[in-house]
Amino acid sequence: MVEGVVTRTEEGSPQGGPISPILSNIYLHYVLDLWFEKKMRPACQGEAYLTRFADDFVVNFQYQRDAHEFQKNPTDRFGKFGLELAEEKTRVMRFGRFVRGDLAKTGGKPDTFDFLGFQHVCGTDRGGKFALVRIPCSKSRRKFLAKSKEWVKEHRHWKRQDQQKQLTRMLRGFYQYFGLNCKPKLDGVRREVQRQWVRTLRRRSQRHRLYWSISNVNPSSNYLMRRRYSMRRRWFVRHAIRRKARLAVRSFSSRGVPAPTVLRSSRLMLNAPP
């Protein structure tokens, strides 16, 4: 069903449907998983591992000749079952702990690949040892920011507190999936969501009173960040009380009546701690 219109298909599965990954797991379990474990893996001279999620898979080989030999076989294997490999997404590359050291001699850098929304990078830890670094890929970030931008535009009439709650939930879900030692990337996404929200709120009216503190979205907490806004609000309340007190003192002095003691000491009372 697309936009309320039911479309019946005789072959294949609907794009993005919940049944698609289930059928992929059942079908590829016999087409790829069992075939790799029983036929391809014993024929490899080194270690070989297969990692698959639905219709996306990554195969690791110890030796380059095993990788090139495996690259020839899946085309024939999938062709028997009416499947095809996406050539633009299929490639053979060097990746691992020894690649960085080998390419450093020639001034090159190891390649990266995207899998399940993450960009996998050959990195190092604080001790200088090899570490597999996973950061949100650019496609995942663009997709999330486009979704948040569309939501903000469609719900610009909501109250600020309600918008803040929903954006916090969206960012928290993004953080829970992609939060794997990639704080700079996550902070960049959060700042961009804040800019989208601020730009949308400013377009609601030409005479807006918008402060940056109200747009603070904190996905790591379950409450709204209102501290700065409340402090600014208290300053406005104090300023209003002092102004009323000064006006009252002027009115009393203009009539020749001494001002009450409470009004004279109002400035001291306002600066006192609550």
Side-chain angles (χ1 to χ4, degrees):
M1 178 181 295
V2 180
E3 297 181 357
V5 179
V6 179
T7 305
R8 302 184 183 275
T9 57
E10 298 180 358
E11 60 180 5
S13 58
Q15 182 67 24
I19 194 63
S20 179
I22 298 177
L23 295 178
S24 299
N25 285 326
I26 297 174
Y27 200 68
L28 290 178
H29 175 70
Y30 297 97
V31 177
L32 181 62
D33 298 349
L34 297 180
W35 171 74
F36 179 81
E37 290 293 334
K38 294 182 179 181
K39 186 176 181 180
M40 294 302 303
R41 191 171 184 178
C44 295
Q45 298 182 3
E47 299 182 4
Y49 303 97
L50 172 66
T51 304
R52 184 182 63 83
F53 182 84
D55 58 347
D56 296 333
F57 63 92
V58 176
V59 189
N60 304 324
F61 296 96
Q62 184 176 2
Y63 299 112
Q64 187 177 4
R65 53 180 175 270
D66 293 337
H68 288 290
E69 186 65 24
F70 175 81
Q71 189 180 10
K72 304 176 184 177
N73 295 324
T75 304
D76 301 335
R77 174 67 177 177
F78 287 178
K80 296 179 181 179
F81 297 90
L83 300 177
E84 295 181 358
L85 285 175
E87 297 296 336
E88 67 277 4
K89 299 181 181 179
T90 306
R91 57 171 174 159
V92 178
M93 54 176 293
R94 296 187 61 189
F95 194 88
R97 66 179 65 187
F98 304 108
V99 177
R100 179 178 290 274
D102 296 342
L103 295 179
K105 300 176 183 178
T106 59
K109 293 183 178 180
D111 294 334
T112 62
F113 68 94
D114 298 342
F115 184 62
L116 300 181
F118 288 94
Q119 183 182 7
H120 294 71
V121 183
C122 291
T124 55
D125 57 7
R126 296 180 179 179
K129 299 181 180 179
F130 170 79
L132 177 60
V133 180
R134 294 185 291 267
I135 59 178
C137 63
S138 58
K139 182 179 178 180
S140 300
R141 297 197 302 269
R142 288 197 304 267
K143 186 177 180 180
F144 175 79
L145 292 175
K147 181 180 178 181
S148 63
K149 184 178 180 179
E150 186 66 23
W151 185 91
V152 169
K153 286 184 178 180
E154 293 179 355
H155 300 81
R156 66 175 63 187
H157 59 280
W158 281 21
K159 295 181 179 180
R160 293 179 182 177
Q161 289 77 7
D162 297 338
Q163 292 178 350
Q164 190 178 31
K165 290 180 182 179
Q166 180 61 26
L167 291 176
T168 302
R169 294 192 192 100
M170 295 173 63
L171 282 173
R172 187 180 299 119
F174 186 84
Y175 274 37
Q176 289 175 353
Y177 183 79
F178 291 102
L180 296 175
N181 300 326
C182 53
K183 189 175 182 300
K185 298 293 183 181
L186 300 180
D187 291 343
V189 172
R190 178 178 56 82
R191 287 192 296 267
E192 183 60 28
V193 172
Q194 285 182 341
R195 295 189 189 98
Q196 294 175 358
W197 188 26
V198 169
R199 286 195 293 263
T200 304
L201 290 178
R202 286 175 176 173
R203 289 171 181 166
R204 294 201 303 184
S205 175
Q206 296 181 356
R207 300 178 61 185
H208 63 83
R209 290 183 177 273
L210 183 62
Y211 303 98
W212 185 255
S213 58
I214 192 62
S215 65
N216 193 356
V217 182
N218 187 9
S220 61
S221 61
N222 297 323
Y223 58 90
L224 300 180
M225 301 295 291
R226 300 179 179 176
R227 182 177 180 182
R228 293 184 180 178
Y229 178 72
S230 60
M231 293 176 61
R232 187 179 294 273
R233 187 176 181 181
R234 286 198 298 268
W235 182 86
F236 279 113
V237 173
R238 292 178 181 177
H239 181 71
I241 294 176
R242 292 174 181 175
R243 185 171 181 275
K244 290 183 179 180
R246 288 195 297 267
L247 292 177
V249 172
R250 291 177 183 177
S251 62
F252 278 109
S253 60
S254 62
R255 292 181 292 176
V257 181
T261 308
V262 179
L263 294 178
R264 287 189 218 172
S265 60
S266 59
R267 183 179 298 274
L268 299 176
M269 296 295 293
L270 288 172
N271 293 332

